């Protein structure tokens, strides 16, 4: 009996330990089950919040962003937390395994489209283009070989043009001696005497230089009455607003995915996106606030007409540089230019002015040819970057009385208006370009229902939250990141 008593005590003690262990395990299972349930509810809520992406932004621009105004007047990033809390608690109510609720959600970090100079927006655009096109296909499609380098010749040539004009403007008029006749009172007859007179310097390029100061659209478009008259209030859009909502920048690091791309190739992706999603002269986007949207990216003006004028002005500069470079290399045309300059300098008794007049005439001729080039581009033709004699369409005499003519020639060789716009976008600063792109996005999205106050700086593509649950086990805390 004594032995049995010892066994009973031992068994009782063992059962107590086992029961304690079992209860501890049971409590752990319960706590972990509650934690798992809360974690699943939170993740479901987080992804549900991402599912509230703005559908118009996706439809028009293939971008995934949450509009944190949710159709209201002002965006508020903290609203995302309220939506997550609502979703999570609804999920927990439906499971009914344990009593639990999400008591607190705080937004710790957020990716806003305008963060880092528009880098957040740019990353989504590049992701989209990587999946839509390959880099080789883009280069072939837009034929940008040589165009992106074209701007490098402008600075040197225009510096020479401007220095020549400045030097010509300060030249003193030549003086010549002329014979005149006057009455001599002493002799009572007429006498011949000599007098020195200034000879005006007549620059054959003067007419063209005056044209540079005037509006150019009348010279480039057959009927300006057909141009779009749409206009916007610039102060309402992101690049002109005084204060912007700011996030904390990119949450997920994607640099590794783009490490093979040089900056120029990223710009190719960005430009490709522009021409897929934005309208421009001759290829206007339907129901858009502005018709000439790519031109807005280049001009940044409030009206379509002003933006087309700004883009055309940049095209003229690009073409003038290329045409001047051609004239410098064409011996026959240089001979024509030299002959005109020599005749003018001979008439003015100032042979020393001939080199200055030659340069002035050369750039005037290049400008007249450039007007014809841009007119042809706007009419749907093509213009080669570097011309041959067969591509040249104007004669030297046209600089004396040019008033604008029809864009003659077939224009079947070279680059299109779209491709020249592509080249001009390469010269734009990336941050300014991205914010101008967001201007246009705001313009277009605001024309749709329930988006009257849409703002790109209220659009979020990712967020990090801190969440605190209340439950029977003492509550759980989580730090979670969600992004597209």
């Amino acid at each position: 009996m004594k032995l049995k008593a010892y066994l009973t005590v031992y068994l009782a003690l063992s059962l107590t330990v086992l029961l304690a262990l079992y209860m501890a395990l049971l409590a752990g299972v319960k706590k972990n089950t509650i934690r798992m349930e809360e974690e699943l509810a939170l993740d479901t809520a987080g992804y549900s919040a991402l599912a509230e992406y703005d559908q118009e932004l996706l439809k028009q621009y293939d971008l995934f962003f949450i509009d944190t105004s949710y159709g209201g007047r002002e965006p508020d990033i903290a609203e995302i937390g309220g939506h997550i809390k609502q979703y999570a608690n609804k999920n927990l109510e439906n499971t009914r395994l344990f009593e639990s609720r999400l008591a607190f959600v705080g937004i710790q970090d957020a990716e806003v489209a305008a963060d880092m100079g528009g880098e957040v927006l740019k990353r989504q655009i590049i992701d989209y283009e990587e999946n839509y096109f390959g880099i080789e296909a883009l280069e072939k499609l837009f034929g940008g070989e040589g165009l992106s380098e074209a701007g490098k010749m402008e600075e040197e040539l225009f510096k020479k043009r401007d220095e020549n004009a400045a030097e010509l403007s300060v030249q003193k008029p030549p003086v010549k001696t002329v014979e005149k006749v006057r009455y001599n009172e002493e002799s009572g007859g007429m006498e011949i005497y000599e007098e020195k007179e200034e000879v005006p310097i007549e620059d054959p390029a003067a007419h063209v230089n005056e044209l540079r100061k005037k509006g150019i659209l009348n010279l480039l478009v057959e009927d300006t009455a057909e141009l779009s008259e749409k206009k916007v209030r610039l102060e309402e859009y992101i690049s002109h607003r005084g204060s912007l909502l700011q996030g904390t920048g990119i949450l997920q690091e994607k640099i590794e995915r783009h490490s093979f791309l040089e900056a120029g190739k990223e710009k190719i992706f960005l430009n490709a996106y522009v021409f897929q999603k934005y309208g421009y002269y001759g290829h206007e986007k339907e129901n858009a606030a502005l018709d000439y949207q790519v031109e807005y990216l280049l001009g940044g003006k409030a009206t379509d007409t002003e933006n087309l004028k700004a883009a055309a002005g940049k095209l003229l500069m690009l073409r003038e540089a290329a045409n001047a470079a051609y004239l410098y290399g064409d011996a026959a045309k240089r001979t024509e230019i030299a002959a005109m300059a020599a005749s003018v300098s001979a008439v003015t008794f100032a042979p020393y002015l001939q080199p200055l007049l030659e340069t002035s005439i050369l750039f005037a001729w290049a400008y007249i040819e450039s007007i014809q080039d841009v007119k042809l581009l706007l009419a749907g033709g093509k213009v080669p970057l570097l011309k041959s004699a067969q591509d040249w369409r104007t004669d030297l005499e046209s600089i004396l009385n040019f008033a604008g003519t029809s864009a003659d020639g077939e224009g079947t060789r070279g680059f299109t208006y779209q491709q020249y716009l592509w080249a001009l976008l390469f010269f734009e600063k990336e941050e300014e370009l991205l914010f101008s792109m967001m201007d246009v996005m705001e313009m277009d999205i605001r024309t749709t229902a329930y988006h009257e106050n849409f703002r790109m700086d209220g659009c979020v593509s990712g967020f990090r939250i801190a969440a605190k649950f209340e439950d029977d086990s003492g509550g759980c805390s989580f730090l979670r990141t969600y992004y597209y």
Side-chain angles (χ1 to χ4, degrees), residues 137-343:
L138 283 175
E139 290 174 331
K140 182 178 180 181
L141 176 65
F142 291 96
E145 184 179 356
L147 275 177
S148 60
E149 302 295 322
K152 294 181 180 179
M153 71 175 81
E154 285 187 18
E155 185 175 354
E156 183 177 347
L157 285 171
F158 289 153
K159 181 180 179 181
K160 184 173 183 178
R161 180 196 68 185
D162 295 340
E163 288 176 348
N164 184 83
E167 187 174 352
L168 188 60
S169 66
V170 298
Q171 293 295 320
K172 293 182 178 180
V175 176
K176 68 177 181 179
T177 301
V178 296
E179 291 185 346
K180 294 187 175 182
V181 179
R182 66 185 175 186
Y183 176 75
N184 190 323
E185 294 181 355
E186 294 181 0
S187 64
M190 303 301 292
E191 67 174 5
I192 298 174
Y193 72 97
E194 292 183 346
E195 185 175 292
K196 292 184 177 181
E197 290 184 352
E198 289 186 347
V199 181
I201 300 175
E202 296 184 3
D203 184 359
H207 173 65
V208 175
N209 292 333
E210 286 300 314
L211 282 180
R212 293 179 188 274
K213 304 174 185 178
K214 298 179 180 179
I216 59 173
L217 288 184
N218 287 329
L219 298 174
L220 299 175
V221 180
E222 292 291 344
D223 186 2
T224 56
E226 294 183 357
L227 295 177
S228 168
E229 297 181 352
K230 291 182 178 179
K231 60 182 178 180
V232 295
R233 293 170 56 88
L234 293 180
E235 64 272 16
E236 296 178 358
Y237 301 105
I238 188 168
S239 67
H240 293 81
R241 286 199 294 271
S243 60
L244 303 178
L245 286 178
Q246 293 183 338
T248 52
I250 295 175
L251 298 179
Q252 71 277 22
E253 188 53 68
K254 296 184 180 179
I255 291 178
E256 304 84 11
R257 298 177 59 187
H258 302 296
S259 59
F260 72 97
L261 290 173
E262 299 175 358
K265 290 187 177 181
E266 286 196 347
K267 198 65 175 289
I268 289 176
F269 280 127
L270 202 58
N271 283 9
Y273 181 83
V274 167
F275 285 97
Q276 285 175 273
K277 306 299 181 184
Y278 292 69
Y280 55 95
Y281 180 81
H283 293 79
E284 293 82 1
K285 179 180 176 181
E286 292 184 2
N287 303 318
L290 289 176
D291 282 345
Y292 311 148
Q293 296 176 326
V294 177
E295 288 84 350
Y296 173 81
L297 303 183
L298 295 168
K301 306 298 183 182
T303 69
D304 272 332
T305 302
E306 290 175 318
N307 288 318
L308 183 60
K309 181 179 178 180
K314 292 184 178 183
L315 277 179
L316 277 175
M317 291 182 64
L318 183 62
R319 288 306 313 152
E320 184 181 354
N323 289 332
Y326 168 76
L327 288 175
Y328 271 112
D330 188 311
K333 287 182 172 54
R334 287 294 301 275
T335 300
E336 289 185 62
I337 292 170
M340 179 178 281
S343 64

Side-chain angles (χ1 to χ4, degrees), residues 382-385 411-416 419-420:
K382 294 181 179 181
V383 175
L385 177 62
T412 57
R413 191 180 80 84
F415 300 104
T416 63
Q419 290 169 319
Y420 274 99

Side-chain angles (χ1 to χ4, degrees), residues 3 46 69 73 75 98 137 139 165 195 215 234 240 269 289 309 359 362 395 459:
L3 180 59
S69 72
R73 291 190 58 82
F98 301 98
E139 290 174 331
E195 185 175 292
L234 293 180
H240 293 81
F269 280 127
K309 181 179 178 180
T359 301
L362 183 146
D395 57 45
C459 290

Side-chain angles (χ1 to χ4, degrees), residues 77-82 84 104-110 462-466:
I77 296 174
E79 280 294 310
I80 297 174
I84 291 175
F104 168 79
V105 179
I107 304 296
Q108 304 297 299
D109 301 287
F463 50 88
R464 181 177 291 115
I465 60 171

Side-chain angles (χ1 to χ4, degrees), residues 435-475:
F435 270 81
S436 295
M437 289 169 65
M438 286 189 279
D439 282 347
V440 177
M441 290 176 184
E442 289 186 345
M443 294 175 195
D444 286 352
I445 300 299
R446 288 182 187 180
T447 63
T448 62
Y450 310 109
H451 289 87
E452 293 81 2
N453 303 294
F454 178 82
R455 290 168 48 176
M456 285 300 295
D457 60 322
C459 290
V460 171
S461 61
F463 50 88
R464 181 177 291 115
I465 60 171
K468 171 67 176 177
F469 285 86
E470 292 180 353
D471 53 56
D472 295 339
S473 65

Side-chain angles (χ1 to χ4, degrees), residues 43 70 145 171 186 212 232 271 361 365 377-378 422 477:
D43 283 342
Y70 293 97
E145 184 179 356
Q171 293 295 320
E186 294 181 0
R212 293 179 188 274
V232 295
N271 283 9
I361 293 168
W365 196 0
L377 289 171
L378 292 174
W422 172 286
S477 297

